[in-house]
Amino acid sequence: MTTSRTVRVAAVQMAPDLESAMGTVDKVCLAITEAGQKGAHMVVFPETFVPYYPYFSFIQPAVTMGAAHLKLYEWAVTVPGPVTRAVGNAARKAGTVVVLGVNERDHGTLYNTQLIFDATGELVLKRRKITPTYHERMVWGQGDGSGLKVVDTAVGRVGALACWEHYNPLARYALMAQHEEIHAAQFPGSMVGQIFADQMAVTIRHHALESGCFVVNATGWLTDAQIESITPDPAMQRALRGGCHTAIVSPEGNYVCPPLTEGEGMLVADLDMALITKRKRMMDSVGHYARPELLSLHADLATKAPLHALGDAEMPNPTGAHDDHDEPGCLAAPHL
């Protein structure tokens, strides 16, 4: 874009509520309100933040994690449902675009899902992580290409990827080719240690440079008490520390403000959208620097379903999730 305009964004680093099915949603709604009061036009939350990232799967063998996995099923989010209504309502009241990571339940399967709400409160994108990483494959199913899309929002063209999807260059290129202006990156945080944070920094800065877009990255945070509640083993507790790098990066690969690496907090920064053109004038990976006659990406962006009915027979909606129930507090927000 050549139009000079400024977009204020917020990146939230926060601890989930591990004790309440609705507690994390309440924290999300409060943070959206706070971001709106600070003038933010967009706010990004961590990966699968609602109800929480499945940290148990990183430190427990599959044979012992059944109870924790079933609890995640019980507390997971259906789309649409009371959680999406609550968050959409908060986004509308604050007048801000919201990118939120959730554990989505679709009947018998959980998915690592990223939700993008426009400033009107409308849910404009639901995408599922295409390949869960390592231990995550015991928790989530695989997404399809239907979510590899950039959407028009009040702040511009927004795309999103979760965690190590940023190590899939073709997934990133699919969004780059759709000319994303702001990229929402989400990581779990409080895992692996400093090496995870260091790798994250390299990854998001490189995507900003290569795509010529801004990157807003949010990671989660666990308190010492929460880590101890997940595991009493000191050796395993060490695996649940570090790895936090909430940050906002310009198209030139620079930090717009210092990253947040410990504790809870909210980064707020103004993005000069003219920097996108400044970067792409020199190097546009999907424009004058591309060679599509030599190298191009074939992407299947269709939604995949396990049942394709032929004929006139009426079939139930194969993607309709079970109904969950409105609960008091933030979850009881009105329908969009």
Side-chain angles (χ1 to χ4, degrees):
M1 294 182 63
T2 57
T3 304
S4 178
R5 62 188 180 95
T6 300
V7 173
R8 179 167 292 183
V9 298
V12 176
Q13 183 163 292
M14 184 185 291
D17 187 336
L18 302 181
E19 305 300 325
S20 168
M22 59 179 262
T24 305
V25 182
D26 289 335
K27 295 187 71 171
V28 166
C29 291
L30 288 173
I32 292 171
T33 299
E34 179 185 347
Q37 292 171 344
K38 292 182 177 181
H41 307 115
M42 176 179 177
V43 56
V44 179
F45 292 91
E47 180 183 11
T48 58
F49 189 59
V50 177
Y52 45 76
Y53 179 85
Y55 291 101
F56 62 85
S57 64
F58 187 57
I59 60 170
Q60 292 183 17
V63 70
T64 66
M65 72 179 201
H69 198 187
L70 286 172
K71 181 180 177 181
L72 193 61
Y73 266 86
E74 180 185 351
W75 287 7
V77 176
T78 55
V79 182
V83 170
T84 59
R85 292 193 293 272
V87 175
N89 188 49
R92 177 182 58 80
K93 288 182 177 180
T96 183
V97 174
V98 174
V99 185
L100 176 66
V102 302
N103 290 270
E104 179 200 0
R105 180 175 179 177
D106 189 347
H107 294 283
T109 299
L110 298 181
Y111 295 94
N112 177 331
T113 298
Q114 293 175 293
L115 304 176
I116 300 180
F117 299 84
D118 207 347
T120 60
E122 177 188 2
L123 180 62
V124 292
L125 182 68
K126 182 192 82 170
R127 69 166 306 270
R128 295 167 172 172
K129 190 173 186 178
I130 53 178
T131 303
T133 302
Y134 191 49
H135 60 285
E136 297 173 350
R137 294 172 192 165
M138 298 298 298
V139 177
W140 298 314
Q142 293 184 321
D144 57 29
S146 63
L148 287 174
K149 295 175 182 175
V150 172
V151 291
D152 287 307
T153 71
V155 297
R157 295 184 59 74
V158 176
L161 291 173
C163 202
W164 278 15
E165 286 187 311
H166 292 88
Y167 287 166
N168 187 326
L170 299 184
R172 293 193 302 105
Y173 196 81
L175 301 184
M176 291 162 57
Q178 297 173 65
H179 311 292
E180 64 177 350
E181 296 171 304
I182 302 177
H183 177 82
Q186 298 175 310
F187 288 75
S190 283
M191 279 179 59
V192 184
Q194 184 61 39
I195 189 172
F196 192 27
D198 292 343
Q199 293 170 349
M200 200 182 306
V202 171
T203 301
I204 62 175
R205 295 181 72 183
H206 178 72
H207 183 71
L209 279 167
E210 196 170 59
S211 183
C213 72
F214 289 93
V215 175
V216 183
N217 183 57
T219 59
W221 169 261
L222 292 176
T223 67
D224 286 341
Q226 286 178 319
I227 292 171
E228 292 167 4
S229 74
I230 296 171
T231 174
D233 184 344
M236 292 297 98
Q237 289 174 3
R238 286 196 295 271
L240 299 180
R241 288 190 168 91
C244 295
H245 194 82
T246 295
I248 301 170
V249 184
S250 79
E252 296 171 319
N254 298 320
Y255 290 115
V256 181
C257 55
L260 181 60
T261 59
E262 291 187 359
E264 294 185 297
M266 178 185 296
L267 298 182
V268 179
D270 291 329
L271 310 184
D272 179 2
M273 302 302 281
L275 291 179
I276 295 175
T277 300
K278 181 181 178 182
R279 171 63 178 165
K280 289 192 173 184
R281 183 183 72 86
M282 299 294 293
M283 197 284 296
D284 184 358
S285 293
V286 296
H288 58 78
Y289 211 73
R291 292 293 304 275
E293 78 281 12
L294 301 178
L295 302 166
S296 62
L297 171 64
H298 174 82
D300 183 352
L301 304 184
T303 300
K304 304 302 179 183
L307 174 63
H308 300 274
L310 300 179
D312 297 328
E314 292 187 4
M315 300 295 294
N317 181 2
T319 61
H322 67 77
D323 292 331
D324 51 2
H325 302 288
D326 290 349
E327 298 194 34
C330 185
L331 290 182
H335 292 255
L336 299 180

